[in-house]
Amino acid sequence: MHRRWILSALAILLSLVLASCANAPTQQSQTKVSANTEAPNSNSQQSAKRVVTLSSLSTDIIYQLDKSKLVGITGSTLFNNDSRFQNIPRVSEGQSPPNLEKIVALKPDLVIGAEGFSNQAIQRLQQLGIANFLTQVKNWESLEELTKKLAQLIGADPQPLLNRYQTFLPDKSTQSLSTLVLVSRQPILAPNKNSWAGDVLTKFQAKNLAAELQGNSPIGGYVTLSAEKVLEANPEVIIVVNPPQGGSETAVLASFKKEAFWQKLQATQNNRVYTFDYYGLVNPGSIDAIEKACQQLKKNLLAVEST
């Protein structure tokens, strides 16, 4: 059992590293186009007609904007059982690098990658003269900006999707409840304000106890906490994140329950501990994953407010 949790923690750390590469804070809050190849845009009255996506989020956004433009996608567990994507060719699987031969064979006029993860493939595609676009999504505003930019590149209307995003958010203010999100046990990791999870908590007016913390964690937007620090914080609400490769909700909670501090926290004593999927809260993943995470936050935080 101990070895299993070490492996789970390592998997979470690897996924967070990849997510932090794609969501790492930069001096610009906007998404950006690769410098070496100009992507088609509406200003030149030319829009992309054959798009390959190298991240699950950009895949979902393009599909929602205009599915006829999507000719190749990255493999993702989020889409394994999704009938919408069954007949679209995969150019990568899991954490393996994109297959350049497959991409070129699809004759795309635009390839969309993730900053920090797809850079090497994008650089090669630039050399081949294929237009490309690198994305960064580190907060809600950058999600909206990405949607607008992708809509511009393919000649689509972003407003229906932007309107849908707004339905994910609460329509009334919630109390400022002290909240701690725990994404792994060994080490104990929590998102600060410079992460997607931290920004989503802000949208729900939850008081993220790790928001202002900084540490030596190699993962941008996350801090390592000691058991003493968690006990000192003593949150009203705890959100435990299931590992990205999946896992039993009971097993995840059972792992934390082994900690001596666990039963001393007011969140556990008041039965205010909730489990969330990795995709949606820690890594945006897809539009549906974001919506599900927001629905859970509405249910859990608003339910706490009413008690």
Side-chain angles (χ1 to χ4, degrees), residues 102-118:
K102 286 185 178 180
I103 294 175
V104 172
L106 292 170
K107 299 180 180 180
D109 50 17
L110 177 63
V111 177
I112 303 169
E115 178 70 37
F117 182 65
S118 310

Side-chain angles (χ1 to χ4, degrees), residues 280-300:
L281 185 63
V282 174
N283 184 331
S286 70
I287 297 172
D288 287 345
I290 295 170
E291 181 176 27
K292 179 181 177 182
C294 289
Q295 288 175 340
Q296 285 185 270
L297 287 171
K298 284 181 181 180
K299 176 182 178 181
N300 297 148

Side-chain angles (χ1 to χ4, degrees), residues 29-32 55 57-59 61-62 65 112-113 133-137 139-153 158 162 165:
S29 62
Q30 305 291 323
T31 53
K32 67 178 184 179
S55 75
L57 181 59
S58 60
T59 296
I61 292 175
I62 291 292
L65 290 171
I112 303 169
F133 181 67
L134 282 173
T135 68
Q136 293 177 326
V137 176
N139 53 41
W140 199 272
E141 285 69 30
S142 60
L143 171 66
E144 294 177 329
E145 289 301 320
L146 173 61
T147 301
K148 293 175 185 177
K149 186 62 180 180
L150 294 184
Q152 179 190 35
L153 292 174
L162 294 173
Y165 294 161

Side-chain angles (χ1 to χ4, degrees), residues 95-295:
Q95 304 300 338
S96 62
N99 188 313
L100 292 178
E101 291 184 1
K102 286 185 178 180
I103 294 175
V104 172
L106 292 170
K107 299 180 180 180
D109 50 17
L110 177 63
V111 177
I112 303 169
E115 178 70 37
F117 182 65
S118 310
N119 295 53
Q120 186 173 358
I122 289 296
Q123 289 174 4
R124 179 58 180 148
L125 292 170
Q126 287 174 352
Q127 295 170 359
L128 296 174
I130 298 175
N132 55 79
F133 181 67
L134 282 173
T135 68
Q136 293 177 326
V137 176
K138 62 182 183 295
N139 53 41
W140 199 272
E141 285 69 30
S142 60
L143 171 66
E144 294 177 329
E145 289 301 320
L146 173 61
T147 301
K148 293 175 185 177
K149 186 62 180 180
L150 294 184
Q152 179 190 35
L153 292 174
I154 67 172
D157 179 10
Q159 201 56 51
L161 198 48
L162 294 173
N163 292 342
R164 182 182 170 194
Y165 294 161
Q166 290 305 306
T167 68
F168 300 169
L169 300 175
D171 54 8
K172 65 177 180 177
S173 297
T174 61
Q175 293 180 2
S176 183
L177 297 167
S178 63
T179 304
L180 195 61
V181 177
L182 303 176
V183 302
S184 75
R185 176 191 165 209
Q186 295 178 336
I188 300 174
L189 285 177
N192 63 20
K193 64 181 181 181
N194 297 321
S195 64
W196 168 262
D199 189 67
V200 171
L201 289 178
T202 299
K203 295 297 183 187
F204 280 80
Q205 299 185 16
K207 183 181 178 182
N208 179 11
L209 294 177
E212 301 298 330
L213 297 181
Q214 301 295 327
N216 298 321
S217 172
I219 303 168
Y222 289 82
V223 293
T224 302
L225 302 178
S226 64
E228 292 75 18
K229 192 70 175 180
V230 175
L231 189 56
E232 178 185 343
N234 196 17
E236 295 173 275
V237 174
I238 292 176
I239 293 175
V240 177
V241 178
N242 285 322
Q245 75 275 20
S248 166
E249 176 178 316
T250 303
V252 173
L253 288 179
S255 172
F256 276 103
K257 287 179 180 178
K258 294 178 181 178
E259 300 287 351
F261 66 80
W262 190 253
Q263 295 302 328
K264 300 177 183 178
L265 302 172
Q266 60 175 323
T268 56
Q269 293 173 353
N270 295 325
N271 197 28
R272 291 174 176 172
V273 178
Y274 309 103
T275 57
F276 278 63
D277 289 339
Y278 170 82
Y279 291 107
L281 185 63
V282 174
N283 184 331
S286 70
I287 297 172
D288 287 345
I290 295 170
E291 181 176 27
K292 179 181 177 182
C294 289
Q295 288 175 340

Side-chain angles (χ1 to χ4, degrees), residues 52 70 88 101 105 285 302:
V52 171
L70 202 56
I88 303 176
E101 291 184 1
L302 293 179

